[in-house]
Amino acid sequence: MITTLSGDTSRLLATVDFVKEQDTATLLPLLLPGLDGPELRALVEHCRFSHAALLVFPSDEAELEAMLTDCGLVGVTPRQPSVVVRERLAVRHRRRAAELDVGIVRRAVVGADGAHRMVEVFALTVPPGSDLDTVATRERERQHETHVGFDVVAPDPLVLRGLCATFARYGATPDGGGYNPHEDGTVFYFGAPAEAKGGYGRVELYVPGDHRDLLAAHLDEHRARQPAETLLRLLTGAWTTQALSTFAQLRVPDAMDGDRAVGVEDLAREVGARPRNLTTLLRYLAMLGAVTEGRDGFRLTGTGALLRDGAPGSMRALALMYGGPFYDSFAGLGHTVRTGQVAFEHHFGENHFDHFARDPLLAELFDQSMAAGAAMFDPVPAHPVLTAAAEASGGATVVDVAGGNGELLGRILTAHPRLRGVLLERPHAVEAARARLDEAGLGARCAFLAGDFADLPAGGDVYVLSRVLHDWDDERCREILRHCARAMPDHADLLVVERVLPSDGSVSLATAWDLHMMCNVGGRERRAEHYARLFADAGLTLVDRSPLPLDGHVLHVRKADPTTE
């Protein structure tokens, strides 16, 4: 072990000297050849050379401290767990992450320019006689974790996107990264271009805070360069659905805490699970960002908290639906693609509306799952059509067609106290909506009608079709829209809330829901121009559209002017 320690100490001393000698303005052009002028000045303004890093392999904590002292890296900064490097080592060497005791120690170094920087030491503990010796040998040979790091000065998303784009323009390639909850920091790794100088093949951008939204695109690009890994991750998507659904079904999120870690033994007792099996599930969910793992157990993240029962914006019902009936029916996707028959009907023997209506618990779950996407509705009450209706001198009436449990209509009536509402739905859904709006103190301003589209009441001022048309084929959509056109007075407006397929083929949730609707309902998502044709066929015209969260849109529709036809 003395020879090993000497080798690691020599590497560490070279790293200390490098950090002392370099500065941001001279190091960046070495790593990104060709970088000069305004772009170099912009990078120097927004990020600074902060550290160089390497991975060493002490047998224990005392040996690590001795190594640091020999290199003049004295201090009291404690060793912190390294989530990112531990996961990378686990994947690279096909080991369980729990077997790898990887920590980070940062010690200060003063550069020749007087700037204070760090040497970042990753330490994988390799006890005497451990089979981790082979891991240490390979890592010393290949230096995967050796890198130089830059701190992003202002963690603004636009700045971060610009930095990543500049790195890419000068040949750097995405090479992984991760979010470390122990430090609340996000790491973006890049592979330096082949012609880079300075002796470091990897570059890190470290950003304070949680930037997993931007990190996801960075990691996707990294995986795209590794097609086998990408395909394997895609093929395990079904596991993700079931893991999240099981997490919700067992009510584990309700037993967890977002501020402190909870031990697995305590969690298992509360939810009625086996500790070892629950641990396996939670570690998988940690990869997904639903929980984080620490020394004292697991802590719930903001993402995982959305699976709590009754939490604001809860998506628990959606997880149970996607992991339950819709999961079963998706096994028949091939049947739908081959024959055109709806997989849900092929599997359950009836369409999903009838199937859910016959089972009160399933019907309630379906209505709750529809409300689980309510974030899409947030801007709807502020739509100019509704604002203008609320300001009308005699008041106005909003007719919510197939309005589910009243989630959207309730938001509209709450935002505009002078509006009245009418909700048309199936009998069981009408009762659920009545109870919901009564509880919110809105029932006295709303009429409830049980019926079908043919029963649509005339004389309303604003009609709303929210996530209705995508349930049906074109002919049924025309029929529904004709019912709307007949009921609407000439002054009335129709607001259609749907996910709209992008015309340029860009990534959108609408594309995923297009597949879902085909498989489970026999419906489809559509492009804006497709909707415009359906409206025209029913004597209506598309006035404009505005975006909503979750890739939704509001399509503003009015009766066509017969004088222009």
Side-chain angles (χ1 to χ4, degrees):
M1 202 66 201
I2 294 177
T3 303
T4 297
L5 178 60
S6 175
D8 280 351
T9 301
S10 175
R11 292 167 51 238
L12 185 53
L13 280 170
T15 303
V16 172
D17 290 341
F18 180 87
V19 173
K20 288 179 178 178
E21 295 164 2
Q22 296 295 335
D23 61 48
T24 306
T26 56
L27 180 55
L28 278 169
L30 293 177
L31 298 170
L32 304 174
L35 178 67
D36 200 357
E39 287 188 304
L40 174 58
R41 289 194 293 274
L43 284 188
V44 171
E45 179 183 351
H46 290 110
C47 66
R48 63 170 183 266
F49 174 43
S50 61
H51 69 272
L54 78 165
L55 175 62
V56 297
F57 308 92
S59 59
D60 55 27
E61 198 77 22
E63 191 166 3
L64 173 63
E65 283 300 325
M67 186 190 310
L68 295 169
T69 300
D70 288 344
C71 295
L73 299 174
V74 295
V76 294
T77 53
R79 170 170 145 159
Q80 298 286 340
S82 174
V83 175
V84 175
V85 173
R86 183 186 67 178
E87 295 297 333
R88 286 171 59 89
L89 289 172
V91 171
R92 202 153 54 232
H93 298 281
R94 298 179 181 178
R95 300 274 185 152
R96 289 178 56 247
E99 298 175 10
L100 306 174
D101 180 15
V102 184
I104 310 173
V105 176
R106 294 186 177 91
R107 293 290 163 87
V109 173
V110 179
D113 57 354
H116 290 264
R117 302 189 183 94
M118 293 281 180
V119 171
E120 187 175 79
V121 182
F122 297 116
L124 170 62
T125 301
V126 182
S130 167
D131 64 352
L132 294 176
D133 277 331
T134 57
V135 174
T137 299
R138 290 174 188 168
E139 289 296 323
R140 287 193 188 95
E141 290 173 355
R142 300 177 186 179
Q143 300 291 312
H144 289 293
E145 300 305 328
T146 300
H147 68 264
V148 289
F150 294 82
D151 286 347
V152 177
V153 177
D156 177 90
L158 288 177
V159 170
L160 185 53
R161 286 193 183 95
L163 291 174
C164 290
T166 303
F167 271 57
R169 196 155 46 248
Y170 286 90
T173 55
D175 191 29
Y179 170 68
N180 190 336
H182 303 286
E183 299 179 346
D184 189 29
T186 309
V187 175
F188 294 75
Y189 282 123
F190 295 85
E195 60 272 24
K197 301 177 178 62
Y200 286 84
R202 297 181 72 235
V203 183
E204 171 196 304
L205 283 182
Y206 178 84
V207 195
D210 186 346
H211 298 275
R212 277 178 283 190
D213 50 347
L214 298 179
L215 178 66
H218 179 81
L219 295 178
D220 285 344
E221 190 172 345
H222 169 58
R223 289 167 187 149
R225 299 171 185 274
Q226 301 170 309
E229 180 184 341
T230 298
L231 182 59
L232 195 57
R233 289 178 182 273
L234 293 173
L235 288 171
T236 59
W239 304 353
T240 297
T241 302
Q242 283 301 317
L244 291 168
S245 180
T246 299
F247 189 50
Q249 184 181 12
L250 295 177
R251 298 185 182 275
V252 183
D254 300 281
M256 296 186 70
D257 196 306
D259 298 322
R260 62 179 183 85
V262 181
V264 173
E265 294 286 343
D266 293 336
L267 278 176
R269 274 194 301 273
E270 187 161 347
V271 304
R274 291 177 176 268
R276 179 176 174 275
N277 296 41
L278 182 58
T279 300
T280 300
L281 172 64
L282 290 171
R283 282 182 176 152
Y284 183 82
L285 292 169
M287 279 202 324
L288 306 178
V291 302
T292 60
E293 182 179 6
R295 296 184 183 277
D296 299 325
F298 291 87
R299 181 178 61 81
L300 194 65
T301 67
T303 299
L306 290 174
L307 295 175
R308 278 179 163 164
D309 190 14
S314 173
M315 302 179 78
R316 180 175 185 270
L318 208 57
L320 298 179
M321 188 64 70
Y322 288 168
F326 288 144
Y327 187 88
D328 295 338
S329 60
F330 245 108
L333 177 61
H335 176 80
T336 296
V337 173
R338 286 194 309 273
T339 69
Q341 297 173 4
V342 179
F344 192 100
E345 297 175 11
H346 179 68
H347 181 81
F348 290 102
E350 58 187 339
N351 73 62
H352 94 291
F353 292 112
D354 292 339
H355 183 74
F356 293 155
R358 285 195 306 101
D359 183 335
L361 293 179
L362 208 51
E364 181 182 3
L365 181 63
F366 176 71
D367 288 337
Q368 289 175 353
S369 72
M370 290 295 289
M376 184 189 290
F377 299 152
D378 287 346
V380 173
H383 193 280
V385 163
L386 292 167
T387 302
E391 293 172 352
S393 58
T397 298
V398 178
V399 181
D400 194 354
V401 184
N405 68 353
E407 171 70 30
L408 178 54
L409 184 58
R411 287 171 176 245
I412 293 171
L413 296 180
T414 299
H416 303 292
R418 299 183 67 237
L419 289 178
R420 299 178 300 275
V422 177
L423 187 137
L424 174 69
E425 250 297 359
R426 298 154 293 160
H428 81 274
V430 162
E431 294 311 311
R434 188 194 304 275
R436 182 186 187 94
L437 295 181
D438 281 346
E439 184 180 355
L442 302 169
R445 294 165 50 203
C446 190
F448 300 90
L449 300 179
D452 200 351
F453 297 110
D455 304 308
L456 218 158
D461 300 289
V462 181
Y463 289 76
V464 177
L465 277 174
S466 174
R467 296 183 297 179
V468 172
L469 296 181
H470 74 164
D471 287 336
W472 307 101
D473 62 22
D474 283 0
E475 190 51 47
R476 180 62 165 151
C477 283
R478 292 186 187 96
E479 183 183 343
I480 293 168
L481 290 168
R482 289 186 185 114
H483 286 308
C484 291
R486 280 192 292 269
M488 292 167 61
D490 290 342
H491 73 274
D493 296 278
L494 170 63
L495 298 181
V496 175
V497 178
E498 294 286 359
R499 288 188 171 94
V500 177
L501 288 169
S503 298
D504 60 0
S506 57
V507 175
S508 169
L509 287 172
T511 305
W513 258 259
D514 196 21
L515 186 71
H516 170 69
M517 302 311 293
M518 178 186 75
C519 182
N520 287 292
V521 185
R524 60 186 300 182
E525 306 294 350
R526 298 169 173 89
R527 292 182 174 181
E529 56 268 27
H530 191 158
Y531 277 117
R533 291 195 298 272
L534 294 177
F535 298 147
D537 291 343
L540 301 165
T541 186
L542 177 61
V543 178
D544 62 27
R545 63 175 172 140
S546 51
L548 296 174
L550 303 178
D551 285 345
H553 281 82
V554 178
L555 307 177
H556 177 199
V557 181
R558 301 205 71 180
K559 296 184 79 168
D561 184 351
T563 63
T564 63
E565 294 182 352

